[in-house]
Amino acid sequence: MKKTVLILIVGTHLFASSIVLPENFTANFTQMITNPKKKVINYSGKVYFSDKTLLKWEYLKPTKKEVCTNGLELLVVDHDLEQVSNYLINKGFNLTEILKKAEIHDKNIYVAVYHGKKYTIQVDAKGQLQSVAYFDDLENKVQIVFKKVKYGKGKLPLKSMQCNYPKEYDMIRG
């Protein structure tokens, strides 16, 4: 779980030639993880990005979970377990760096190699992010698809970028 969450981090500011990404965005997402034995787990929820480094994933299905990062720390709130895990990030999924390395492969398809991993990025006709696919450290195929993407200027309210949880949840520092 810890490795999967770290891989989900889409951190820091987002700029790359021909791939249009704004100062902030919100989107619905679906995430499909397929393990080497072809077992598939589907997740869905909402993602928020703001201020070049703030990212929040709000998982709604199959379980309620929040993942928040400022690019340096990762907070994972598992509402089913009533548990909060806090991690320092040393190596994760850094979309900014991936997009800097992205090269056009085909119409609306970019490919990037970052830390020895190959990432496939799909954009729409306007150059806006639609999906990212890659294999994680456990050889799981990860595909994240963004829908109802809303791009904006300026920062989203800081409160909307923070994970919310009751103070009685157990805190785990990793």
Side-chain angles (χ1 to χ4, degrees):
M1 172 62 189
K2 180 176 160 182
K3 286 188 180 214
T4 301
V5 170
L6 290 175
I7 290 165
L8 297 176
I9 302 167
V10 178
T12 69
H13 63 91
L14 307 172
F15 295 109
S17 60
S18 301
I19 299 177
V20 178
L21 291 163
E23 294 173 25
N24 76 62
F25 75 86
T26 61
N28 292 339
F29 74 89
T30 56
Q31 177 183 16
M32 184 171 59
I33 299 175
T34 307
N35 74 12
K37 294 180 180 179
K38 306 295 184 214
K39 181 179 178 186
V40 177
I41 300 174
N42 290 297
Y43 296 94
S44 64
K46 192 157 184 154
V47 62
Y48 307 82
F49 171 81
S50 181
D51 196 23
K52 300 182 182 180
T53 60
L54 300 176
L55 186 69
K56 179 178 179 179
W57 296 86
E58 200 171 51
Y59 289 84
L60 302 173
K61 292 181 182 176
T63 62
K64 187 176 177 192
K65 202 175 280 195
E66 294 175 73
V67 178
C68 299
T69 185
N70 60 8
L72 302 173
E73 288 184 281
L74 179 73
L75 193 68
V76 180
V77 179
D78 188 321
H79 293 283
D80 290 340
L81 297 176
E82 297 183 355
Q83 177 177 301
V84 180
S85 301
N86 184 286
Y87 305 97
L88 290 177
I89 299 170
N90 58 3
K91 181 182 173 188
F93 177 96
N94 186 325
L95 189 58
T96 300
E97 293 302 316
I98 293 167
L99 294 180
K100 283 181 184 177
K101 296 180 180 296
E103 295 180 4
I104 190 78
H105 176 74
D106 200 357
K107 182 180 178 186
N108 299 340
I109 305 288
Y110 290 78
V111 174
V113 176
Y114 179 70
H115 287 302
K117 289 189 179 113
K118 180 179 173 183
Y119 296 85
T120 303
I121 302 143
Q122 184 171 358
V123 297
D124 65 14
K126 296 177 185 176
Q128 296 180 348
L129 187 63
Q130 282 190 315
S131 69
V132 176
Y134 59 96
F135 285 89
D136 69 14
D137 289 336
L138 301 174
E139 297 302 317
N140 297 310
K141 180 182 177 185
V142 179
Q143 182 175 17
I144 304 168
V145 177
F146 302 99
K147 299 284 184 185
K148 297 184 180 178
V149 180
K150 294 180 183 173
Y151 281 22
K153 294 209 177 266
K155 299 176 185 179
L156 293 174
L158 185 58
K159 188 170 179 93
S160 71
M161 300 304 297
Q162 297 171 337
C163 285
N164 300 304
Y165 57 92
K167 59 183 170 185
E168 59 269 3
Y169 277 18
D170 293 331
M171 175 64 81
I172 298 170
R173 301 213 182 266

